[in-house]
Amino acid sequence: MSAFYALLFTVAFLVLIIGLTKKIIQYSRVPAPLKIPVTPAPLTKGGVAIRLAKETILFTALFRSNKWTWLFGWLFHVSLFVVLLNHLRFFIKDVPLPLVLLQNVGEYAAFTMFIGLAGLLIRRIFVARVKYISSPSDYLWLILLMVIGFSGIVMRFISHTDIVAVKEFSLGLLAFDWQALPTDFPLMVHLFLVAVLMILLPFSKLLHIPGLFFAPTRNQVDNPREERHIAPWAAELDAEKNKAQPK
Amino acid sequence: MADFETPKFREYPVVPQIKEGEMAGDGPFVSRAEFDTDLGYPGELPEDWKEKTLDKMGDLLGRYRSLQVFMDSCIKCGACTDKCHYFIGTNDPKNMPVSRQDLMRKVYRRYFTFAGKYFPKLVGAVDLTEDVLDEWYNYYHQCSECRRCSVFCPMGIDTAEVTMAAREILANVGKAQKYSNQIIQKVYKIGNNLGLPGPALEGILEDLEEEVEEDTGVPVKYNMDKEGCDALLMTPSADFFAEPHIDGLIGYGKVLHELGITWTVSSEASEAANFGLFIGSYDNIQRVSMRIREAAIKLKVKRIIFGECGHAWRVAYSFLNTLAGPFDFLDQNYPIPQHILEVTYGALQEGKLRMNKEENDHLTMTFHDSCNIARASRMGDYPGGQFDIPRAVIQAACNNFVDMDSDTIKDATFCCGGGGGLLTDDLMELRIKGALPRMEALKQVTEESGVTNIAAICAICKSQFTKTLPYYGFEMDAIMSVHQLVSEAIVMTGSEQEKDLDGTDEEEAES
């Protein structure tokens, strides 16, 4: 069983990294031939960085759009972020002080994450417009994340897992020195679904993570009059046209 | 008049219930080969349409980062679902921006992603059939490419980009829209959207000169094809004859005259509009844009100034430098291109224009932000100048101004309902229904603040409102051009208006 999980996580890690890298390379190679920032847009690169940071950290557009979706969505993402930070302790031998201090908050983040996901799921089921646009996979993602969160809560608060052994397993993974993993049921579920999530991420709508930063509507500087913007294929097209019709 | 009901004003702007299939149908008239071939399209459904559709889709995915990223990054959060004026006005769920994108995304997933290839049902992927193409044609011609949804999307997904790509793909398999393609063909053959030939245009401009001189006693020039002027004026051809557009043109002429800026229109590029944008064709946007460069060179001007036109200003401001630049032969001391409102606003700031606001005292104005100016371009030197400058100019010309509800103006403005190549009679039902949110906001300020008229800076908005206002119980001439207000209020040096204001005894005024 330990070997299966060790192998699973090695594969999941590779799929995640390679898949995501391929997508990011694809996004950066496809040109943006025209200036299409949604205005009012920043006039400088620094301004764009602030715009993207606000979208990433505060979900400003979503806040303007729908307060409930923002509340649940933001709660989920921020909680997930704290939870992930909290999990860093499994990969660092001597846990640094900030992470130690985070632990108490981090434990409750699992609950807020679950509440956020539950809110999003309820919205998806009961708001007719959102239900209309949902595919099976949209529900499954929410349920998958809820089960991951719930199994984590069970391990921490109800049926404790030997986390020292888990940490030896995870540190062993990093060192290619496979260690035994406790075989508690919640842990098996938790880890299996995390691996599933890692494997599916590059093939799913979770691509919104890199996608956000590549949206020309948000990441372009508003300066088309000042600087001439030319994409490679458009430049080639121009060159061909000029060749065809010499002036 | 028509076989549909004008939507009723809603008591509260509640989110509408969905009514599936409400706007199902065949869409606008399909173009014919005679309009298509000159634009580079086949004009009929080829036998290998399926292959061609997917090839073109793959091609565009490789050319437009926007399309590639937007196909992947939608999380189906629903933020956009109640933001589209066509959904609000029609209740058809396929007019929710995410559903509109999904028409293409479902095919993208089926043929271009791992998940859709092997688990189509799970991720909602579908096979490409002729029915799918027909549905694309219908619903991608119920989007005015106004970008309102993109403002609210947490991922910045712009449905306009998807609509443009879909129309380009459709045109490549013989399903182009007649209205847009016929117009573009007229631009290539005659020089403008309306098909006004040079001599007719010259006649109109001469009449305008006479009319203005009669009104003001000032010989304001409305030149055509005059070499060596300071500026080339690019304005939508509707400005040459439609109401209230032409009153705006009269206003540009007065402002430029007063500032001592000589200007001309070009008979070959007698159109600021660029419907290449609406059909999503880079080649055609560029070809239409190049006319402007060629006219500017031919007429030896130093500046290019654009009149009141929404999407034309998007293409001019955002794309012209890319598509037809560099404009190193123009005077670099002025923005290239410049909007007429930037000219008027700058002159007002410097105290170079005298305005008699009392001329417009019978009006209480509000302002409709046109989508392409609000969300796809800028005026002035800071973000949001496109909102402040038109309002400042209106307020310099009129004492009474009230804004509509803040959820319906500036970057949250609602489309007039006729943008993006939909200003055609065969889409009248859609146009009337899509105008609902704007009409509701207008209704509110007429009742609460006594607003009498609404000003716009877009030829399409002006034409669309002329049609839709009566359906909602307003007067059709409630829509005005911003420079129409300027035209009424401006006191040109040496004009009758100046004499009326200052008294006829000039010597007394001087002493």
Side-chain angles (χ1 to χ4, degrees):
Chain A
M1 203 50 140
S2 301
F4 170 74
Y5 272 84
L7 197 62
L8 180 66
F9 268 89
T10 310
V11 170
F13 180 76
L14 288 175
V15 171
L16 176 70
I17 295 301
I18 294 169
L20 213 49
T21 309
K22 275 180 78 172
K23 266 292 172 188
I24 289 171
I25 290 172
Q26 181 195 31
Y27 291 163
S28 45
R29 281 205 181 144
V30 180
L34 293 168
K35 279 277 188 163
I36 58 165
V38 173
T39 58
L43 308 188
T44 60
K45 281 188 176 158
V48 166
I50 292 169
R51 182 183 203 178
L52 286 174
K54 276 166 77 179
E55 283 300 335
T56 314
I57 298 166
L58 301 172
F59 301 6
T60 32
L62 188 57
F63 184 77
R64 261 184 97 177
S65 174
N66 188 305
K67 300 292 185 282
W68 285 111
T69 312
W70 177 84
L71 178 69
F72 293 128
W74 190 79
L75 195 62
F76 155 58
H77 282 89
V78 167
S79 307
L80 177 63
F81 180 69
V82 173
V83 166
L84 286 176
L85 279 184
N86 226 10
H87 279 68
L88 277 180
R89 67 181 59 243
F90 288 102
F91 300 95
I92 302 169
K93 194 153 196 192
D94 300 309
V95 180
L97 187 64
L99 277 185
V100 176
L101 295 176
L102 188 72
Q103 186 165 18
N104 289 329
V105 194
E107 285 175 357
Y108 295 103
F111 291 98
T112 49
M113 174 176 143
F114 192 83
I115 293 168
L117 288 165
L120 291 174
L121 185 63
I122 288 168
R123 206 180 138 67
R124 202 170 276 294
I125 294 169
F126 290 102
V127 177
R129 286 173 287 118
V130 188
K131 186 177 179 187
Y132 180 87
I133 60 169
S134 300
S135 301
S137 59
D138 297 316
Y139 298 100
L140 288 176
W141 276 121
L142 290 173
I143 293 166
L144 177 87
L145 284 159
M146 286 170 82
V147 176
I148 291 174
F150 185 73
S151 53
I153 290 171
V154 167
M155 278 185 281
R156 179 64 192 83
F157 293 98
I158 300 168
S159 150
H160 293 278
T161 293
D162 180 1
I163 55 166
V164 177
V166 176
K167 182 163 182 172
E168 273 172 21
F169 172 79
S170 55
L171 283 173
L173 273 182
L174 293 182
F176 297 103
D177 173 23
W178 294 355
Q179 301 291 322
L181 182 70
T183 50
D184 311 353
F185 180 67
L187 181 67
M188 296 288 102
V189 171
H190 191 76
L191 292 184
F192 181 74
L193 294 181
V194 168
V196 168
L197 187 143
M198 287 165 71
I199 290 169
L200 294 183
L201 191 143
F203 308 101
S204 71
K205 68 171 184 177
L206 302 199
L207 283 173
H208 70 279
I209 301 163
L212 173 62
F213 300 97
F214 282 98
T217 46
R218 291 276 158 73
N219 75 9
Q220 285 185 338
V221 179
D222 174 15
N223 61 356
R225 287 196 287 197
E226 292 76 18
E227 272 180 47
R228 191 163 180 235
H229 171 86
I230 297 278
W233 68 258
E236 275 171 33
L237 199 74
D238 282 352
E240 272 171 42
K241 278 180 187 164
N242 290 339
K243 229 186 274 169
Q245 299 166 309
K247 294 220 161 153
Chain B
M1 193 163 174
D3 56 349
F4 61 89
E5 272 184 52
T6 306
K8 296 207 170 39
F9 288 127
R10 298 166 298 169
E11 199 167 339
Y12 305 100
V14 288
V15 180
Q17 293 297 309
I18 60 177
K19 286 189 202 162
E20 276 192 54
E22 189 71 9
M23 292 299 281
D26 299 332
F29 297 143
V30 179
S31 186
R32 293 196 295 268
E34 57 179 296
F35 306 129
D36 281 11
T37 42
D38 189 29
L39 276 60
Y41 300 124
E44 57 184 355
L45 191 74
E47 252 176 53
D48 54 345
W49 61 269
K50 191 168 171 179
E51 205 181 3
K52 281 226 161 70
T53 303
L54 294 173
D55 280 354
K56 190 68 201 173
M57 196 167 159
D59 177 45
L60 295 182
L61 285 165
R63 279 171 186 260
Y64 292 96
R65 181 180 297 165
S66 53
L67 187 66
Q68 175 61 59
V69 171
F70 297 164
M71 283 293 113
D72 282 334
S73 64
C74 178
I75 43 176
K76 311 293 170 78
C77 70
C80 62
T81 53
D82 55 351
K83 302 300 185 286
C84 175
H85 53 290
Y86 290 123
F87 172 65
I88 295 172
T90 67
N91 297 7
D92 190 319
K94 291 209 168 86
N95 277 331
M96 301 190 297
V98 46
S99 312
R100 201 185 311 285
Q101 298 159 21
D102 272 353
L103 294 173
M104 185 185 287
R105 192 175 283 118
K106 283 173 179 177
V107 176
Y108 165 75
R109 284 187 169 165
R110 184 74 181 100
Y111 297 93
F112 295 90
T113 71
F114 176 84
K117 272 179 194 158
Y118 300 101
F119 310 99
K121 288 237 169 67
L122 186 68
V123 295
V126 298
D127 288 331
L128 179 63
T129 62
E130 247 191 286
D131 287 343
V132 169
L133 275 194
D134 289 341
E135 199 172 36
W136 282 23
Y137 185 79
N138 183 32
Y139 285 103
Y140 284 119
H141 288 99
Q142 296 189 32
C143 167
S144 57
E145 303 172 350
C146 82
R147 314 186 98 195
R148 188 169 194 266
C149 47
S150 73
V151 171
F152 295 97
C153 175
M155 297 301 131
I157 298 173
D158 179 8
T159 311
E161 292 291 308
V162 182
T163 293
M164 288 174 196
R167 291 184 187 176
E168 167 81 341
I169 293 168
L170 287 165
N172 272 282
V173 290
K175 285 174 179 287
Q177 183 213 23
K178 182 183 163 198
Y179 171 71
S180 293
N181 280 20
Q182 194 176 7
I183 278 179
I184 297 171
Q185 199 211 24
K186 269 190 249 176
V187 169
Y188 293 152
K189 284 202 169 152
I190 304 166
N192 54 60
N193 286 8
L194 294 165
L196 281 173
L201 195 54
E202 195 157 30
I204 291 169
L205 294 172
E206 278 167 16
D207 288 350
L208 280 187
E209 286 181 358
E210 273 174 37
E211 192 184 309
V212 172
E213 187 158 5
E214 216 166 89
D215 279 355
T216 64
V218 181
V220 177
K221 285 283 162 207
Y222 291 82
N223 297 312
M224 185 180 94
D225 291 338
K226 189 176 178 211
E227 278 187 27
C229 288
D230 297 326
L232 169 67
L233 179 74
M234 293 299 305
T235 206
S237 54
D239 279 7
F240 297 125
F241 87 110
E243 290 284 349
H245 310 61
I246 196 163
D247 302 303
L249 175 62
I250 292 172
Y252 319 151
K254 289 182 181 173
V255 168
L256 294 172
H257 173 89
E258 186 63 13
L259 297 175
I261 301 170
T262 59
W263 61 278
T264 182
V265 297
S266 153
S267 60
E268 281 158 29
S270 46
E271 177 64 68
N274 190 331
F275 277 34
L277 177 73
F278 299 157
I279 64 169
S281 160
Y282 188 94
D283 282 347
N284 283 295
I285 310 175
Q286 185 167 44
R287 197 169 147 198
V288 175
S289 297
M290 284 304 284
R291 294 153 49 252
I292 301 169
R293 180 190 179 87
E294 283 153 16
I297 293 172
K298 191 173 162 193
L299 296 171
K300 302 187 176 67
V301 295
K302 303 186 206 65
R303 305 162 66 172
I304 301 176
I305 297 174
F306 272 74
E308 296 180 4
C309 184
H311 80 282
W313 183 241
R314 177 181 190 183
V315 175
Y317 174 84
S318 296
F319 308 156
L320 201 64
N321 198 6
T322 297
L323 295 170
F327 288 94
D328 40 15
F329 56 91
L330 295 175
D331 187 340
Q332 304 295 312
N333 292 315
Y334 300 97
I336 304 168
Q338 193 174 20
H339 197 284
I340 185 70
L341 275 163
E342 292 178 315
V343 175
T344 304
Y345 175 74
L348 285 166
Q349 292 299 98
E350 291 169 22
K352 287 182 181 165
L353 295 177
R354 183 173 173 194
M355 306 292 268
N356 177 21
K357 293 195 206 185
E358 276 83 44
E359 288 289 338
N360 289 317
D361 268 355
H362 58 294
L363 304 171
T364 299
M365 297 304 305
T366 191
F367 178 64
H368 166 77
D369 292 276
S370 298
C371 39
N372 275 300
I373 292 170
R375 290 185 283 259
S377 68
R378 172 161 58 94
M379 286 180 202
D381 53 10
Y382 63 95
Q386 68 268 39
F387 310 135
D388 301 339
I389 288 176
R391 285 174 173 78
V393 170
I394 293 172
Q395 284 169 292
C398 179
N399 280 311
N400 315 311
F401 177 82
V402 181
D403 254 323
M404 288 179 280
D405 188 286
S406 62
D407 289 340
T408 72
I409 58 169
K410 300 188 177 174
D411 66 341
T413 187
F414 277 107
C415 168
C416 61
L422 308 182
L423 192 77
T424 169
D425 284 352
D426 46 319
L427 288 172
M428 193 55 78
E429 176 178 359
L430 180 76
R431 287 169 54 188
I432 302 302
K433 290 181 173 176
L436 178 70
R438 171 48 76 227
M439 294 294 116
E440 283 179 334
L442 178 61
K443 180 86 177 164
Q444 191 190 355
V445 285
T446 57
E447 285 173 355
E448 291 173 8
S449 313
V451 164
T452 59
N453 289 68
I454 178 167
I457 47 174
C458 167
I460 288 176
C461 298
K462 293 172 198 172
S463 300
Q464 160 76 353
F465 283 137
T466 307
K467 267 279 197 305
T468 54
L469 285 167
Y471 279 87
Y472 289 94
F474 302 101
E475 294 297 324
M476 113 182 198
D477 57 4
I479 176 71
M480 297 179 76
S481 299
V482 169
H483 273 81
Q484 180 179 1
L485 293 161
V486 173
S487 175
E488 294 297 326
I490 192 168
V491 183
M492 287 187 289
T493 315
S495 65
E496 299 293 332
Q497 286 75 10
E498 185 180 48
K499 286 176 200 153
D500 287 348
L501 281 175
D502 298 345
T504 42
D505 195 347
E506 285 174 28
E507 282 169 33
E508 198 180 296
E510 273 170 30
S511 65

